[in-house]
């Protein structure tokens, strides 16, 4: 059964006033945290672009069928986590992930038949009605890629290499990579029979969830976290023994690429992933500081999905990174990297009026700039400059006006320098741009 949240209900004024707070699992993101998000988003665009992917933006709402067919009827997402609106005739859902939407677009635009090879990237909010907890939200952000139209193991390897590069560029360290192959339909059928046979007489010793999954989605039993279930699954034969020769060669080739590229990974024969579309390669990057929800990025190959969603058969592979979790473990940005622009601290009316014009001039030159609108004291204005993450405070008072100078304080290290007032906008804009470029270069090289 699908959880249905109908939109056509009536809300009284009283109810609206009572619930003037965020629903559980949703959050506002603002300064100073937003700096990290912008840094992450800029990095995602730069890294995906540099590997030759083109951006695709699909709508936040799709026909519910896109996800039911795409993700699988017996997955947690489709069974109980989708936000669905509408009625019997037309039902739409907030997207719980990006892959099914990308495939819908690929098929709808005829790319499965004509320009078949495509490399897409996407980024944005996803929605799952899960029980909120640390690292698990109802609105969360993913950045992902999909490589469509190739069965080659080099594409699996590229997706993993790119995933690792993305995490590194996002200042994430200490993550681990787990890899498995779930085989093609043929191998899965063979292994399904093994699981049915091996587990059929042990159902009484398993948890309720596993007993249910035995009937609906037997592979998902393997990633159950319950101790009593784990002990039984440890005794099961390895899925890798049941791979057909094609799947075995593919899996070995992917591993060889990873060895060649010195990408460290561990094989985890219980890794099956929570979405039904995977075939052959599956992988997850985990981070030890995240607790129970420790997967920062997950992906794999899904060679049957395009056909299952009504297109011409096309092999595909991809991943999605969870930006909320990545930001939680991302190394702190250095103070200087977090800071941007100039806050004009003025003392006295004459300086304020002059400063007001200078701020507009700085903005015309592309510099983030602002000034006080609350008649705050000098000290309080300096605090605002710091709290709002400006890189420089430019101080202009009677003294400075008399000497025709303007004084700059670097908010990261407190150092101070005076510049001639005339023509400073052009000079400082140039310096700031150079500093930004230098920081970007340093980040790319590090
Ligand atoms: P997924 O494993 O469901 O895969 O999600 C990918 C990542 O999104 C997870 O590893 C996690 O970091 C993040 N994530 C998922 N649910 C939540 C949540 N409730 N709160 C916070 N973060 C979350 C997919 O979505 C596939 N579409 C990936 C893919 C693309 N496979 C092939 N292509």
């Amino acid at each position: 059964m699908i959880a249905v949240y109908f939109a056509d209900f009536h809300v009284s004024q009283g109810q609206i006033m009572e619930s003037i707070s965020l629903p559980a699992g949703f959050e506002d993101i603002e300064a100073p945290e937003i700096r990290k998000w912008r840094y992450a988003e800029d990095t995602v665009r730069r890294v995906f672009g540099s590997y030759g992917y083109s951006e695709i933006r699909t709508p936040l709402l799709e026909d519910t069928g896109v996800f039911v067919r795409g993700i699988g009827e017996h997955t947690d997402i489709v069974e109980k986590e989708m936000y669905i609106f509408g009625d019997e005739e037309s039902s739409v859902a907030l997207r719980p992930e990006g892959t099914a939407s990308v495939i819908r677009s690929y098929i709808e635009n005829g790319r499965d038949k004509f320009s078949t090879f495509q490399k897409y990237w996407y980024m944005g909010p996803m929605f799952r009605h899960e029980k909120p907890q640390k690292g698990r939200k109802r609105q969360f952000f993913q950045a992902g890629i999909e490589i469509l139209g190739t069965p080659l193991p080099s594409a699996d390897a590229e997706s993993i290499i790119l995933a690792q590069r993305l995490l590194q560029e996002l200042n994430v360290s200490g993550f681990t990579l787990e890899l498995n192959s779930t085989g093609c339909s043929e191998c899965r059928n063979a292994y399904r029979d093994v699981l049915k046979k091996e587990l059929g007489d042990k159902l009484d010793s398993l948890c309720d969830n596993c007993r249910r999954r035995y009937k609906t989605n037997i592979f998902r039993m393997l990633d159950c976290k319950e101790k009593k279930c784990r002990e039984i699954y440890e005794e099961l034969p390895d899925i890798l023994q049941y791979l057909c020769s094609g799947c075995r060669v593919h899996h070995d080739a992917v591993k060889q690429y990873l060895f060649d590229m010195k990408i460290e990974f561990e094989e985890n024969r219980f890794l099956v992933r929570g979405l039904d579309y995977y075939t052959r390669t599956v992988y997850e990057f985990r981070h030890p500081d995240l607790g129970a929800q420790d997967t920062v990025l997950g992906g794999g190959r899904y060679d049957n999905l395009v056909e299952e969603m009504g297109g011409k058969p096309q092999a595909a592979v991809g991943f999605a990174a969870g930006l909320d979790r990545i930001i939680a473990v991302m190394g702190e940005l250095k103070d200087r990297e977090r800071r941007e622009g100039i806050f004009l601290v003025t003392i006295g009316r004459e300086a304020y009026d002059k400063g007001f014009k200078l701020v507009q001039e700085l903005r015309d030159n592309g510099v983030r700039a602002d000034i006080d609108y609350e008649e705050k004291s000098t000290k309080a204005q300096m605090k605002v400059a710091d709290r709002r993450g400006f890189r420089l405070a430019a101080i202009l008072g009677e003294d400075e006006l008399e000497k025709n100078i303007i004084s700059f304080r670097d908010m990261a290290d407190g150092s101070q320098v005076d510049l001639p007032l005339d023509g400073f906008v052009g000079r400082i804009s140039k310096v700031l741009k150079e500093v930004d470029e230098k920081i970007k270069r340093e980040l790319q090289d590090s």
Side-chain angles (χ1 to χ4, degrees):
M1 263 305 286
I2 299 170
V4 180
Y5 301 87
F6 285 102
D8 61 343
F9 58 90
H10 301 284
V11 188
S12 73
Q13 192 63 24
Q15 277 172 301
I16 292 175
M17 290 313 291
E18 267 167 35
S19 60
I20 202 86
S21 60
L22 268 175
F26 290 73
E27 67 176 23
D28 299 317
I29 309 170
E30 58 172 317
E33 198 65 3
I34 199 76
R35 264 306 269 163
K36 275 193 168 185
W37 280 88
R38 282 178 41 185
Y39 174 73
E41 288 159 6
D42 288 348
T43 306
V44 165
R45 284 188 194 97
R46 177 170 58 76
V47 175
F48 287 167
S50 73
Y51 277 65
Y53 289 73
S54 43
E55 185 178 2
I56 181 164
R57 294 190 191 190
T58 59
L60 299 195
L61 276 178
E62 296 267 0
D63 269 350
T64 306
V66 168
F67 303 117
V68 177
R69 274 172 85 172
I71 298 166
E73 220 174 317
H74 296 296
T75 54
D76 285 349
I77 296 179
V78 170
E79 277 181 346
K80 52 185 187 206
E81 294 170 1
M82 285 212 286
Y83 285 90
I84 299 176
F85 308 87
D87 49 38
E88 297 289 298
E89 274 149 43
S90 79
S91 149
V92 288
L94 281 174
R95 62 180 187 193
E97 57 110 54
T99 311
S101 302
V102 172
I103 301 306
R104 192 265 311 135
S105 162
Y106 178 73
I107 298 170
E108 197 167 357
N109 292 300
R111 301 223 156 82
D112 54 324
K113 297 179 195 73
F114 308 109
S115 43
T116 51
F117 183 73
Q118 297 286 331
K119 298 210 296 186
Y120 290 117
W121 72 266
Y122 54 87
M123 177 161 56
M126 307 291 161
F127 304 86
R128 295 185 193 173
H129 191 261
E130 295 188 79
K131 194 159 183 269
Q133 63 177 90
K134 184 173 172 255
R136 184 186 274 167
K137 295 186 187 154
R138 290 181 169 172
Q139 176 182 274
F140 57 97
F141 291 78
Q142 284 188 344
I145 58 121
E146 313 294 348
I147 310 175
L148 306 172
T150 176
L152 293 182
S154 53
D156 310 42
E158 167 165 316
S159 75
I160 295 172
I161 294 164
L162 171 53
Q164 173 161 312
R165 167 63 69 86
L166 180 68
L167 294 175
Q168 286 167 340
E169 299 259 346
L170 286 168
N171 288 342
V172 179
S173 56
F175 52 79
T176 54
L177 165 61
E178 292 182 5
L179 181 77
N180 194 18
S181 172
T182 55
C184 61
S185 322
E186 219 178 282
C187 328
R188 287 166 81 83
N189 283 342
Y191 195 57
R192 186 178 291 110
D193 290 345
V194 172
L195 294 180
K196 285 252 170 219
K197 190 159 153 277
E198 294 283 331
L199 298 173
D201 58 0
K202 302 194 176 70
L203 293 179
D204 288 347
S205 318
L206 299 175
C207 71
D208 291 349
N209 215 7
C210 282
R211 275 207 294 275
R212 194 174 53 82
R213 282 178 170 164
Y214 181 80
K215 294 198 195 93
T216 57
N217 195 343
I218 197 161
F219 292 101
R220 283 304 310 283
M221 294 171 80
L222 298 179
D223 69 1
C224 176
K225 306 279 179 295
E226 294 270 338
K227 192 163 171 269
K228 60 180 180 186
C229 305
R230 291 247 53 83
E231 279 167 6
I232 292 174
Y233 302 153
E234 289 292 340
E235 302 302 319
L236 289 170
D238 191 335
I239 186 168
L240 297 181
Q241 291 167 17
Y242 292 84
L243 293 188
C244 66
S245 62
C247 288
R248 197 181 308 250
V249 168
H250 186 95
H251 191 52
D252 288 345
V254 173
K255 286 195 290 182
Q256 190 58 50
Y257 280 117
L258 300 183
F259 284 131
D260 292 347
M261 297 304 297
K262 302 196 170 36
I263 301 227
E264 285 177 26
F265 63 91
E266 263 175 51
E267 293 204 60
N268 175 358
R269 68 189 178 104
F270 298 112
L271 183 66
V272 286
R273 311 260 307 122
L275 306 101
D276 269 1
Y277 46 64
Y278 292 108
T279 53
R280 296 190 165 173
T281 311
V282 285
Y283 57 89
E284 282 184 354
F285 285 80
R286 297 175 191 279
H287 199 285
D289 296 349
L290 282 171
Q293 304 303 319
D294 63 350
T295 310
V296 285
L297 183 152
R301 181 162 276 289
Y302 48 96
D303 289 343
N304 302 333
L305 184 59
V306 178
E307 187 179 15
E308 278 166 11
M309 287 182 68
K312 201 167 166 235
Q314 295 294 348
V317 57
F319 70 73
L323 289 181
D324 307 72
R325 292 181 192 174
I326 286 178
I327 280 168
V329 290
M330 196 163 107
E332 279 301 319
L333 295 180
K334 288 184 211 119
D335 204 22
R336 207 176 275 278
E337 287 156 19
R338 279 197 289 114
R339 295 184 170 278
E340 247 190 328
I342 301 177
F343 190 84
L344 242 109
V345 174
T346 59
I347 310 154
R349 181 62 196 248
E350 199 189 336
Y352 183 82
D353 288 345
K354 174 94 184 151
F356 185 79
K357 287 191 208 123
L358 290 171
V359 160
Q360 316 310 325
E361 239 184 277
L362 283 163
R363 292 167 176 166
D364 289 347
N365 274 264
V367 176
R368 174 186 183 231
D370 216 343
I371 193 165
D372 167 60
Y373 288 98
E374 298 163 282
E375 299 188 299
K376 281 189 186 288
S377 68
T378 316
K379 205 170 150 200
Q381 289 181 58
M382 291 300 285
K383 274 196 184 149
V384 172
D386 185 37
R387 203 185 58 233
R388 289 183 50 201
F390 283 90
R391 180 173 295 149
L392 298 172
I395 304 150
L396 194 61
E398 271 170 29
D399 267 8
E400 284 78 8
L401 284 178
E402 209 166 284
K403 294 185 196 151
N404 205 28
I405 56 163
I406 182 160
S407 186
F408 287 94
R409 179 178 297 178
D410 185 323
M411 300 306 288
D413 63 16
S415 61
Q416 206 147 327
V417 64
D418 294 341
L419 286 183
L421 190 54
D422 297 330
F424 96 90
V425 170
R427 275 204 303 280
I428 202 81
S429 311
K430 194 162 162 261
V431 170
L432 283 178
K433 273 180 205 144
E434 279 168 11
V435 171
D436 277 341
E437 283 302 314
K438 189 165 166 271
I439 289 175
K440 258 192 215 151
R441 272 199 308 276
E442 278 172 11
L443 285 170
Q444 279 164 25
D445 294 346
S446 64

